[in-house]
Amino acid sequence: MKTLYDAALLCLTAVFIGGCSSRHAGPVYRAGDENPPDFLVGPVAAVLTNLNGFSAHVTSTVSSPEGTPQVKSGELLGREGRLIYQPMPSRKDKKARKQGGLFFIWDESKRSGYVMSEALQGYAPIKSDAAAATRLNISNEGIREDVNGHPCHRCKAVVVLNDGREARLTLWQADDEKHFPIRIEAVNGPSRTTLDFSEIRLETPARELFLPPDGFTAYGSSTAMMNELIVREASAIKKNQAGEFDEPTDVRSSNWHQTPGAP
């Protein structure tokens, strides 16, 4: 299993080689990084887990009238009601590459999952307080638009939640990608979240990727795991500043893109 895990995480090396900032450019990890994004655990997950097997690059833009839009991106995989999300690090220097990243596994049917840390070789359970989806209704409006370089038809989706509320989404389904939603837009009050997808592969990722890898250490909570990451990083920074060791030169890059031919 560990071999499969390592083999599946190989394609982001070029992304992480984007320059070398100062070794004192700030922490790689911050409290809150252990929390999955809303689109992974909220109503949008009902759409994503309704798709067949896929992998894609996703860019999330959250905008509101008060502030600057928040843009984040990462890699997303889906299979049989489960999702894996690997956020791109906010920093792309050598230190961030060395530390490795966080990964999220989400099982929509169980409304639970895991956050995993490469640096700790560990994982912790995660849950969501958001209401679970009980039904997804998609209606085709027949409005044709070109989005992200694909001919699409815009449609409306209604996610019925178990507390009686309804979440309304707009989907742009690509005609040339078997109706994959190239763009998903969700409006929650004054806040608007837009997901844009690219580099889409309509293939089923290996089932083993959606479980914590063999040999990883289980933590009692995501907060406990993040606290250890922050403490270890602070200790390493102090030692580095004191000149007790040089920053390692070996870099371990990773990505959840499935290796072609994997089962």
Side-chain angles (χ1 to χ4, degrees):
M1 168 56 200
K2 189 63 170 64
T3 301
L4 176 60
Y5 172 79
D6 291 335
L9 310 180
L10 295 175
C11 301
L12 279 185
T13 303
V15 176
F16 290 123
I17 304 180
C20 292
S21 302
S22 166
R23 67 178 62 186
H24 307 310
V28 173
Y29 304 108
R30 292 177 174 82
D33 289 348
E34 74 277 14
N35 298 323
D38 289 343
F39 73 79
L40 197 71
V41 300
V44 172
V47 175
L48 298 175
T49 54
N50 191 52
L51 303 169
N52 293 324
F54 72 91
S55 66
H57 182 81
V58 58
T59 298
S60 169
T61 304
V62 180
S63 57
S64 63
E66 294 79 26
T68 303
Q70 298 179 358
V71 181
K72 297 182 179 180
S73 63
E75 304 300 316
L76 185 69
L77 275 71
R79 176 190 173 120
E80 298 173 346
R82 294 185 177 187
L83 301 168
I84 297 174
Y85 177 61
Q86 176 197 7
M88 292 289 293
S90 56
R91 287 174 42 191
K92 300 180 178 66
D93 59 11
K94 183 166 65 174
K95 179 182 176 183
R97 299 198 309 271
K98 173 178 71 68
Q99 289 279 11
L102 295 175
F103 304 85
F104 297 95
I105 297 178
W106 183 251
D107 188 330
E108 177 65 9
S109 64
K110 296 180 179 178
R111 297 295 295 163
S112 64
Y114 304 97
V115 55
M116 294 184 293
S117 165
E118 269 197 284
L120 293 180
Q121 295 286 285
Y123 67 94
I126 54 174
K127 293 185 177 181
S128 173
D129 295 330
T134 60
R135 191 167 69 254
L136 171 66
N137 299 319
I138 299 178
S139 59
N140 193 339
E141 293 186 342
I143 300 176
R144 189 192 179 285
E145 297 177 1
D146 289 335
V147 176
N148 298 337
H150 296 268
C152 300
H153 278 81
R154 189 176 71 190
C155 59
K156 296 293 184 181
V158 177
V159 181
V160 181
L161 307 176
N162 62 3
D163 61 2
R165 294 181 297 121
E166 294 182 347
R168 299 182 179 275
L169 313 172
T170 304
L171 315 181
W172 284 263
Q173 296 179 324
D175 297 337
D176 58 348
E177 292 287 359
K178 299 182 179 179
H179 307 297
F180 186 94
I182 292 293
R183 175 175 290 167
I184 301 176
E185 187 175 84
V187 178
N188 184 12
S191 176
R192 182 186 304 270
T193 299
T194 303
L195 302 179
D196 285 296
F197 295 87
S198 60
E199 302 175 25
I200 298 162
R201 295 175 61 186
L202 300 179
E203 301 175 2
T204 303
R207 182 177 289 107
E208 291 85 352
L209 294 177
F210 295 81
L211 297 171
D214 293 340
F216 270 40
T217 300
Y219 285 78
S221 70
S222 58
T223 301
M225 190 181 79
M226 180 54 62
N227 285 343
E228 181 163 344
L229 272 172
I230 293 173
V231 168
R232 285 193 184 189
E233 184 180 23
S235 176
I237 290 173
K238 290 178 67 175
K239 290 182 179 180
N240 214 8
Q241 291 174 341
E244 295 183 24
F245 59 82
D246 293 327
E247 193 171 33
T249 57
D250 61 307
V251 174
R252 184 158 52 121
S253 300
S254 60
N255 182 20
W256 281 108
H257 275 314
Q258 183 187 8
T259 301

